Amino acid sequence: MAEDGGRRADEEERGPGAAHQVFAVMECLLEKLKVLNYEEEVLHRHNMKNLSRHYFVSSPYLAFNSGEQFYMFTIIAAWLINMAGRPFTEPQEHDEPNATVSNILSELRAFGVKVDFPPSKLKSGSGEHVCFVLDRLAEEALKRRGFSFKRPNYPTETTEEESVVEDNAELTLSKVEEEMIEEPDEDEENVMDLEALKLRSTHTEAEASSKPDEILESTVDAAEWNLEVERVLPQLKVTIRTDNKDWRIHVDQMHQHRDGIKSSLKEAKSYLDKLQEDIGKTLEKVSSREKYINNQLEHLIQDYRGAQAKLSEAKERYQQASGGVTERTRVLAEISEELEKVKQEMEEKGSSMSDGAPVVKIKQSLTKLKQEIVQMDVRVGVVEHTLLQAKLKEKSNMTRDMHATNIAEPAAGSFA
């Protein structure tokens, strides 16, 4: 909780956009890593997946694995340090995290980057400081390679001139109008301005009023007149340049579109009504045909249902029989196992009965036992002889002592 409160205080001091700055740094870092071809030199060599746009961003809205992120951070940092021209041993998963982070920060300080945060900020493997370290190392690696980002050149935007909508009202004859529809208006130099036409007409009227009234007779040949008409016909088109911002034009266009929609609707409605009628008839035919087919195939459907019922019964009997077969198979396996054991015991007993080795062993044991009995008899005889000699010796000693006592008693009586 204290760490979250300190983080919020730092964000308030730096500004409201500080919490989202790390996302932009991570995206720039990913672009730099792509320029350095980290996919081939790091990811493929270590069999790792590609980094996402916000892989090293620490956010409660993003799923993360701190151990995996820390290992990825150390691998990329070591690779960037080597790319920047300084030898650095690639860390392993069993290395001490504090020592690895301290070595990375030492290399970063060697590049002249100021580090004002403790090494413990990098142990989580994600966050603002991790992105900062990798971004600075990527910049050093790009400097070593001689690569630099250039400012984009934006093309200058040219303002398009407003297109002039020409009115289709033409002050020409019907023949002129048909020919002008066939020939597209591609050359604007042949278009006559309405104001010039008015000035020309007023000038002609002034000249006509100055001339006396008389009957004019034409001296021009009709064929030449037609040729002249055909020559000047493209120049007789008169267009009225209107303002597109005028609301009256929009109203007229709305009325024209409405009339066009109504006319198109009348034509389309007849076709749609006919189509609806045809579809209705087709649906009726299909439904009647379906009923007919159902009636014709009713007995077949009944037979099919009966066959399905018989099939379900047969399947049920088969399952029951399969269960009995399985139980009997298990009992057979147990009996077979017991039979194998009995056979093995019989073979062992038969082999022991047909083998003469035990009889030989018994005979050898009896012979050895007889020898031991003989030896024991000899020892018993020796002991008896020794005991007899001891008894005889003791008896002789006792007899001698008795004689000595008897001799001493008369002698004592004579002295008395």
Side-chain angles (χ1 to χ4, degrees), residues 171-240:
L171 303 177
T172 56
L173 300 174
S174 61
K175 182 179 180 181
V176 176
E177 184 176 1
E178 293 175 358
E179 292 182 357
M180 291 307 297
I181 290 173
E182 294 176 357
E183 296 179 1
D185 186 11
E186 296 179 355
D187 191 4
E188 295 184 354
E189 294 180 357
N190 295 330
V191 178
M192 183 180 296
D193 194 2
L194 185 60
E195 298 295 332
L197 182 61
K198 290 181 178 179
L199 292 175
R200 184 178 297 178
S201 60
T202 54
H203 182 67
T204 305
E205 290 176 355
E207 288 181 353
S209 60
S210 62
K211 291 182 180 181
D213 295 334
E214 59 181 1
I215 298 173
L216 297 177
E217 294 181 0
S218 176
T219 58
V220 181
D221 189 8
E224 294 180 358
W225 180 268
N226 292 330
L227 290 175
E228 184 66 17
V229 168
E230 291 180 0
R231 186 181 66 82
V232 299
L233 187 62
Q235 300 180 3
L236 297 179
K237 181 181 178 182
V238 178
T239 59
I240 302 175

Side-chain angles (χ1 to χ4, degrees), residues 100-118:
T100 304
V101 170
S102 299
N103 294 333
I104 293 173
L105 291 180
S106 300
E107 295 294 336
L108 187 62
R109 291 189 185 95
F111 288 116
V113 180
K114 183 180 178 181
V115 179
D116 55 353
F117 54 87

Side-chain angles (χ1 to χ4, degrees), residues 291-318:
K291 291 179 181 178
Y292 174 75
I293 292 173
N294 290 332
N295 293 328
Q296 292 293 326
L297 300 178
E298 184 67 26
H299 64 284
L300 296 177
I301 294 173
Q302 295 295 334
D303 295 341
Y304 176 71
R305 289 175 181 174
Q308 279 188 338
K310 292 180 181 179
L311 179 62
S312 61
E313 292 177 358
K315 286 183 178 179
E316 185 176 357
R317 290 196 300 270
Y318 172 74

